[in-house]
Amino acid sequence: MGASPTAARSARWVAAGILLSRIAGLVRERAIAHYLGVSIYSDVVRAALRMPNVLQNLLGEGTLSASFIPVYAELVESGQDEEAGRVAGAVFGLLVALAGGLALIGIFLAPVLVSVFTPGFEGERRELTIAAVRIIFPMAGVLVLSAWALGILNSHRRFFVSYVAPVAWNAAIIATLVVFGAKRSPAGLVIALAWGALVGGVLQFAVQLPWVFSLERRLRVSLSTQLAGVRETLRNAGPAIAGRGVVQLSGYIDTFLASLISGGALALLGYAQTLYMLPVSLFGMSVAAAELPELSRERSRAEAALRQRVDGALTRVAFFIIPSIVGYLALGDVIVAALYQTGDFSADDTFVTHLVLGGYTLGLFASTATRLYSSAFFALHDTRTPAMVAGARVVIAAVVGAGLMFALEQVVVRGYPLGVLGLVLGTSLAAWVEWILLRRALRGRLGPVGANRTALLKVLVSAGVAAACARALDYALPPMHPIPTAAAVLSLYVVVFVLGGALLGLEQARRYLWWRR
């Protein structure tokens, strides 16, 4: 079953917004790489941005998508506008109180948090991280409110603004780096970046408010927990927060472990993860975000209809995720060089970052599919199952990742110990375990679910042929700057993939052939 016109159009708007925000994020990462390279200062930036994100991850988009959007979307769909405004206002008030209180606690406990989550940080690296965390904690609280605005807009089928809003956050950081990059020491630049991130968080929330106020004219801010919709949101939020908590714990475990090994490990994780998350966000999150309100509106339909919707979404996502996997594995060095190889980021840094990216890529399909499976459970008002499965994933990632990390730390390639590669291999294995468990649980609710296998094989063949052609071109090209090299190689990859898919009968590929429109 294909996507409904509304869901397909919504997914395109989500993808467009995410694409622009991710492009801005890539520019941000290039700026960080240029000014800080793979150094203890880029380690500080990664750690300082991750620690306060506990607020954003526990109370932000993931939790609100599971608890608030299904309730609010149903109220809007049923015409209960007054009740919807009161529920939205009460959720906003509760988020302000909770996020604000936790942000203050985080500011005061910054030294403790740094000691707990990055025990390997000492001296300047530790003190600088504490200072940056204290600035960034309020930013995370504001981004929670930005996620609330996203929930309002998504429920009204206004997707683009909420997903393009992070461009403002990225732009503030980029501007800070450009203005102060040549004027301050690396330590001073880290502090300036933290202030830029805080300003960017405020901008990200502010740009959404005009649309929120125009769509939700009956908004009544309060702290009430007596409304039925608020009580249901809070009931659903508990397991959702637990699920997000274990996911957040996984990120902190990675930070904890990476701080114990060679300097620059956190920076390598950050550079590789930015690229890894690009297809997850563009193709997994866009479809999942667009489908969730529709599934929430229609959950009373037959289970067969819901299953077909999930199957269709998985097949659409696979058309983009499989070539992303093949491209990262076969051409990742070209991509990394074009994006990061500037200033203090060397060719050796490119090589090792590609290795780490390859480790992440092994779990890319599973990570993307589980987002769709989780959305199906959220639409069924089941937040417990994804939370329990996420807990199992965290345990596996930590145990396997730690074992591989310490084993591979003894292996040195181009001057870099490969312990960080062990961490990401554990993450990829755990992603596949989560995929298996969620798929099995969803089958128990809806029956057999999965993407069209014939379509998957055709996509894989097309991507493989395209990668071989693109790699051959890379070898044939004369030495030149990484950016034009990547432009030529990746353009050929995309063209051959689309043509190959069209020849094999993939309808999604044929849509990109202008002469067939």
Side-chain angles (χ1 to χ4, degrees):
M1 177 181 177
S4 68
T6 299
R9 183 171 59 253
S10 298
R12 287 193 293 270
W13 279 116
V14 174
I18 290 176
L19 176 61
L20 292 175
S21 65
R22 290 295 174 176
I23 289 173
L26 293 175
V27 175
R28 179 200 71 221
E29 291 299 306
R30 182 175 175 84
I32 293 174
H34 179 82
Y35 289 108
L36 299 176
V38 179
S39 65
I40 63 168
Y41 300 104
S42 52
D43 278 351
V44 169
V45 170
R46 304 298 173 188
L49 287 173
R50 181 179 291 277
M51 266 179 261
N53 270 1
V54 65
L55 291 180
Q56 186 181 356
N57 282 280
L58 289 182
L59 304 177
E61 181 184 347
T63 295
L64 293 177
S65 294
S67 58
F68 172 58
I69 291 179
V71 173
Y72 181 75
E74 287 185 18
L75 290 172
V76 172
E77 182 68 13
S78 63
Q80 301 180 60
D81 295 338
E82 188 70 32
E83 184 71 5
R86 294 172 64 194
V87 169
V91 170
F92 177 81
L94 293 170
L95 283 174
V96 170
L98 185 56
L102 291 175
L104 289 175
I105 292 173
I107 291 171
F108 287 113
L109 295 183
V112 177
L113 293 173
V114 171
S115 296
V116 170
F117 292 113
T118 53
F121 281 20
E122 297 176 347
E124 181 187 17
R125 189 157 60 151
R126 181 178 185 275
E127 295 305 314
L128 195 56
T129 304
I130 292 172
V133 165
R134 282 177 164 156
I135 297 169
I136 293 175
F137 242 109
M139 174 211 76
V142 175
L143 291 180
V144 170
L145 303 182
S146 178
W148 168 85
L150 178 147
I152 298 291
L153 296 175
N154 283 11
S155 298
H156 287 274
R157 297 190 177 101
R158 298 293 190 275
F159 294 94
F160 180 73
V161 172
S162 54
Y163 284 99
V164 81
V167 169
W169 182 75
N170 286 304
I173 295 176
I174 294 166
T176 301
L177 289 169
V178 171
V179 171
F180 297 104
K183 300 177 181 178
R184 297 197 175 189
S185 66
L189 185 58
V190 169
I191 297 301
L193 187 152
W195 282 109
L198 174 57
V199 172
V202 174
L203 292 175
Q204 179 174 328
F205 176 50
V207 297
Q208 298 177 76
L209 289 180
W211 281 269
V212 170
F213 292 145
S214 68
L215 292 169
E216 185 47 83
R217 297 180 180 277
R218 294 175 175 81
L219 186 67
R220 300 291 183 271
V221 177
S222 71
L223 295 174
S224 174
T225 59
Q226 302 305 309
L227 299 169
V230 174
R231 290 198 299 270
E232 184 174 1
T233 297
L234 294 176
R235 282 196 303 270
N236 293 337
I241 289 174
R244 297 303 299 176
V246 295
V247 171
Q248 182 71 16
L249 179 61
S250 178
Y252 282 129
I253 290 173
D254 285 349
T255 302
F256 177 91
L257 293 172
S259 75
L260 300 176
I261 55 177
S262 55
L266 274 173
L268 288 170
L269 278 176
Y271 292 133
Q273 195 173 62
T274 297
L275 285 169
Y276 162 73
M277 288 302 299
L278 183 60
V280 173
S281 301
L282 277 178
F283 311 126
M285 287 178 59
S286 62
V287 175
E291 290 286 350
L292 179 57
E294 304 303 322
L295 289 170
S296 300
R297 288 181 170 91
E298 302 171 6
R299 70 187 179 102
S300 60
R301 284 189 174 186
E303 291 181 348
L306 295 180
R307 182 176 66 249
Q308 288 179 325
R309 183 180 287 276
V310 173
D311 291 349
L314 286 169
T315 302
R316 295 197 307 277
V317 167
F319 176 79
F320 298 101
I321 290 298
I322 290 177
S324 298
I325 294 170
V326 174
Y328 278 164
L329 293 176
L331 307 169
D333 56 331
V334 176
I335 299 170
V336 172
L339 179 61
Y340 296 132
Q341 197 167 304
T342 177
D344 287 342
F345 200 97
S346 68
D348 287 338
D349 296 333
T350 292
F351 181 83
V352 179
T353 302
H354 181 208
L355 285 181
V356 178
L357 175 61
Y360 269 131
T361 300
L362 295 177
L364 183 54
F365 183 86
S367 295
T368 309
T370 53
R371 289 178 180 267
L372 294 171
Y373 290 151
S374 295
S375 285
F377 280 109
F378 296 159
L380 293 169
H381 288 205
D382 178 0
T383 55
R384 294 182 180 275
T385 300
M388 293 174 61
V389 173
R393 188 192 79 185
V394 169
V395 172
I396 293 169
V399 173
V400 176
L404 291 175
M405 182 190 79
F406 289 116
L408 291 178
E409 185 68 4
Q410 308 307 312
V411 179
V412 179
V413 175
R414 298 198 181 185
Y416 287 95
L418 295 184
V420 65
L421 178 59
L423 274 179
V424 302
L425 290 175
T427 298
S428 292
L429 175 63
W432 280 107
V433 173
E434 182 183 29
W435 176 82
I436 292 170
L437 296 177
L438 276 180
R439 186 167 182 255
R440 182 180 300 171
L442 193 58
R443 279 184 168 185
R445 298 286 296 271
L446 301 179
V449 293
N452 183 294
R453 293 185 179 181
T454 301
L456 293 183
L457 180 59
K458 291 179 179 179
V459 172
L460 182 59
V461 170
S462 301
V465 172
C469 294
R471 192 81 256 185
L473 175 63
D474 179 50
Y475 290 141
L477 288 173
M480 56 184 178
H481 193 278
I483 291 179
T485 297
V489 170
L490 297 180
S491 295
L492 180 63
Y493 180 64
V494 172
V495 169
V496 174
F497 169 71
V498 172
L499 289 175
L503 290 173
L504 291 175
L506 287 171
E507 183 58 35
Q508 280 183 281
R510 290 177 175 175
R511 292 173 186 168
Y512 291 94
L513 301 180
W514 61 268
W515 63 83
R516 295 185 62 89
R517 293 180 180 176

